[in-house]
C-alpha cells in the first residue's frame, strides 16, 4: 500500500486569540521602545525614524511613530487586504499609546546602553514575531517586507536588516558613537530573531 502523506490541518486563530496576541505583542514592543528611549538608544526601520524625530524635536516617539505609518496603509490595503490593515493599524496605535504609558510606571535611573539596546531589541523581536504570527505588523518597512516576502519570497528579516542598518547609520550625528554601536548591535539582534523565526513555509497558520 502506498504511503499517504497527510497534510497538516490548518487551524485558524480565533478573533479572541488575535486580540490577545496583538495586545501582548504591542506591550512587548512598546516596552522595548521604552528601554531604548530611556537609554538614549534607537533601532532601525520606521521606529528608528520615529526615534530620530523625537530626539531632534519635541515630538514624542508615539506621535511620530503613528504619523509616519499613515502613508503605508494604502499599500497594506492594496496588497495585504483589509483584515491585515486593520490589525496593523490597531497594533501601531497601541504601540504609540503604550509608549506613553510605560514611563508612567517604570523609570530606570541607571541603564547601560548596550544592555538596553540588546535586551530592548530582543523584547521587540519577540513582540514582532507574535504580531506576524497573527497576520499583523507595525506598519512602515514591516508592511513592505512582509509583502515582498509573500510575493517574491524575499526573507523579511534580511530586507529589514539592510534598511535598519541604513537608518541607524543615519543617526551618527544624533547620538554618540558608543550609543550608535549599541544601537546597531541591537538592530542586528532584532532582525536575526525575525529571520530565524519568520520565514515562508515554516508555519501553517
Amino acid at each position: 500500500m502506498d504511503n499517504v502523506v497527510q497534510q497538516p490541518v490548518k487551524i485558524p486563530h480565533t478573533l479572541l486569540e488575535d486580540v490577545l496576541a496583538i495586545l501582548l505583542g504591542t506591550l512587548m514592543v512598546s516596552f522595548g521602545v521604552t528601554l531604548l528611549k530611556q537609554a538614549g538608544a534607537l533601532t532601525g526601520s520606521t521606529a528608528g525614524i520615529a526615534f530620530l524625530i523625537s530626539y531632534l524635536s519635541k515630538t514624542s516617539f508615539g506621535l511620530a511613530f503613528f504619523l509616519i505609518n499613515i502613508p503605508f496603509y494604502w499599500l497594506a490595503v492594496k496588497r495585504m487586504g483589509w483584515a491585515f490593515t486593520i490589525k496593523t493599524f490597531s497594533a501601531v496605535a497601541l504601540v504609540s499609546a503604550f509608549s506613553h504609558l510605560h514611563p508612567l510606571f517604570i523609570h530606570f535611573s541607571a541603564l547601560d546602553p548596550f544592555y538596553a539596546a540588546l535586551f530592548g531589541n530582543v523584547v521587540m523581536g519577540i513582540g514582532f514575531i507574535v504580531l506576524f504570527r497573527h497576520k499583523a505588523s507595525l506598519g512602515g518597512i514591516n508592511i513592505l517586507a512582509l509583502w515582498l516576502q509573500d510575493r517574491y519570497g524575499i526573507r523579511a528579516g534580511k530586507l529589514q536588516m539592510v534598511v535598519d542598518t541604513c537608518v541607524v547609520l543615519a543617526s551618527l550625528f544624533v547620538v554618540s558613537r558608543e550609543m550608535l554601536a549599541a544601537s546597531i548591535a541591537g538592530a542586528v539582534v532584532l532582525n536575526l530573531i525575525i529571520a530565524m523565526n519568520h520565514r515562508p513555509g515554516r508555519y501553517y497558520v
Side-chain angles (χ1 to χ4, degrees):
M1 184 176 67
D2 295 334
N3 292 327
V4 178
V5 179
Q6 294 184 344
Q7 295 295 325
V9 178
K10 295 182 178 181
I11 304 176
H13 296 115
T14 65
L15 177 60
L16 177 60
E17 289 173 337
D18 284 339
V19 170
L20 293 177
I22 290 174
L23 283 173
L24 176 62
T26 54
L27 277 171
M28 297 182 73
V29 171
S30 58
F31 183 74
V33 166
T34 300
L35 283 174
L36 298 183
K37 190 72 168 63
Q38 292 193 16
L42 43 76
T43 188
S45 194
T46 313
I49 299 173
F51 271 119
L52 289 175
I53 293 175
S54 68
Y55 290 150
L56 292 171
S57 68
K58 295 182 179 180
T59 305
S60 68
F61 169 87
L63 178 59
F65 184 67
F66 183 81
L67 294 177
I68 290 170
N69 276 288
I70 292 177
F72 290 95
Y73 294 127
W74 176 84
L75 177 61
V77 172
K78 186 175 179 62
R79 299 299 186 181
M80 309 296 284
W82 277 104
F84 174 87
T85 305
I86 292 173
K87 290 179 182 179
T88 296
F89 178 84
S90 301
V92 170
L94 286 172
V95 167
S96 299
F98 289 152
S99 67
H100 284 288
L101 294 177
H102 283 305
L104 300 178
F105 298 95
I106 185 169
H107 181 79
F108 301 94
S109 58
L111 193 58
D112 181 83
F114 274 92
Y115 172 85
L118 293 177
F119 186 68
N121 276 283
V122 167
V123 174
M124 291 174 66
I126 296 172
F128 274 121
I129 296 301
V130 172
L131 294 174
F132 290 167
R133 291 288 290 115
H134 287 262
K135 306 298 182 183
S137 80
L138 284 177
I141 302 302
N142 295 146
I143 292 177
L144 180 61
L146 288 174
W147 176 70
L148 289 174
Q149 177 170 282
D150 292 340
R151 185 70 178 270
Y152 300 107
I154 300 173
R155 294 267 291 278
K158 288 184 177 180
L159 175 64
Q160 289 193 187
M161 185 176 293
V162 172
V163 175
D164 290 356
T165 301
C166 292
V167 172
V168 173
L169 288 175
S171 66
L172 181 60
F173 300 104
V174 179
V175 299
S176 67
R177 293 192 176 185
E178 179 186 18
M179 196 63 70
L180 177 62
S183 299
I184 292 176
V188 171
V189 168
L190 168 64
N191 286 287
L192 284 175
I193 291 173
I194 296 175
M196 287 189 299
N197 293 280
H198 189 74
R199 62 179 66 177
R202 168 150 287 182
Y203 303 105
Y204 293 97
V205 294

